[in-house]
Amino acid sequence: MTSRPPRPRDRGIPEATVARLPVYLRALQALQDRGILTVSSEALATAAGVNSAKLRKDLSHLGSYGTRGVGYEVEYLVYQISRELGLTQDWAVAIVGIGNLGRALANYGGFGSRGFRIAALLDADPGVVGQSVASIQVRHIDSLEEVVRSRGVSIGVIATPAASAQGVASRFVEAGVTSILNFAPVVLNVPDGVDVRKVDLSIELQILAFHAQRRADGDGRDARAAGLELT
Amino acid sequence: MTSRPPRPRDRGIPEATVARLPVYLRALQALQDRGILTVSSEALATAAGVNSAKLRKDLSHLGSYGTRGVGYEVEYLVYQISRELGLTQDWAVAIVGIGNLGRALANYGGFGSRGFRIAALLDADPGVVGQSVASIQVRHIDSLEEVVRSRGVSIGVIATPAASAQGVASRFVEAGVTSILNFAPVVLNVPDGVDVRKVDLSIELQILAFHAQRRADGDGRDARAAGLELT
DNA sequence: ACGCGCTTGTGAAAGCGCGCACAAAGTGGG
DNA sequence: CCCACTTTGTGCGCGCTTTCACAAGCGCGT
């Protein structure tokens, strides 16, 4: 709107677009690894599993980074998306709950290369505290506040059992963490201004089951015929 | 029109609603554990973290299971949602890739109680094959087809490294599995009719980082004013 | 029996996201 | 220099989602 020339990108990037940028970024990095310098929206869209028009519209929210008749320069686009997502800066992450899931997260290589640094691993179990996971020593949950402060943790990951999750979340918030990724199957209660994202392993399975059942129901008879009766 | 009284629910449930039903179900089961028999849309909506009007509209797609002036009977609603999601039947799940994530999934108690049964664990690593995880013996990936057939596996879970995911997916499809839950950070290529859902641990982190950066940008100064300077 | 208060179920409106289709813009060949 | 070809960026319409607001319905107390 107002100052357009010096500021091509708009601050209001649609949420749906934000959710896809990491997918594009990953596809672009894969292309980069293969030594590809330039890519068309069509090719990138295929690699990312989306419609090419959607891809172009998504990228247009960041600015006009393509060249008509040519496509997008891979390296440049990687940089622009990274910057937009905030991956050019360093994010200190603390993981609470070092069970199998916590270990899986700690060992997940993709973090380090994308601007995320695991600053601390915390657990309540004395048998786990002191162990070394992914070359990081697990500390007791009691030191959460101290760790957050001293290491500048800005993102908290909760991989505890459901019963402990709300308590951990509250302590994170109290300590000043405003971004939380929650793997526990509970709805967290946090004040405004705190951003919580939830990843729920079993919800996805249930959605799959719903569709599978739906397919099975319409199996044998025509799916459209089933839609005819009733209403 | 035809058989309406015995079949009040409509087949066309919006996708957005389906994605929320598991959340309602979990909230309801928590209420049930606390001995609560009846709940209003307002209370349930709060527990599930959604707007009450949205909740009512979602439930209305299943049928009229509430009582005006009173609310919803918890037990009845649990049954209705479970049935709609297909959780009253038994789903055999095979998990491929028994690393930390695969173990976390195998040990995740929530599955068994919700209609999902882990029918098999598979891995390519000879060092892992033969181990017992969650009281199930890990078998070699080569027996995937045999296992799917003999155990009636209908849902495949991929928890392998990215490089192996597409191969596993193709084998699942080949073996007749039409529902796949993918934890590997790649876009899977599958034929029409196969339902793939993706859970990506690092994408969620990147979305959090975006919002955190956004908050940080507008910090101190007015958010709108921040849009003026720099590039 | 009746009315009052509470809660559901649902029209209607507003908002958002998706994808088509095309003009604008750049490239390369002759 | 011009023309044919390629690919981006986006206006537009459509359908899905969310939210508001309220009529309809139910139970309870009197």
Side-chain angles (χ1 to χ4, degrees), chain B residues 194-208:
Chain B
V194 177
D195 191 8
V196 175
R197 293 193 68 84
K198 190 174 119 193
V199 175
D200 194 312
L201 311 178
S202 81
I203 282 183
E204 301 298 326
L205 266 190
Q206 293 178 45
I207 296 173
L208 275 178

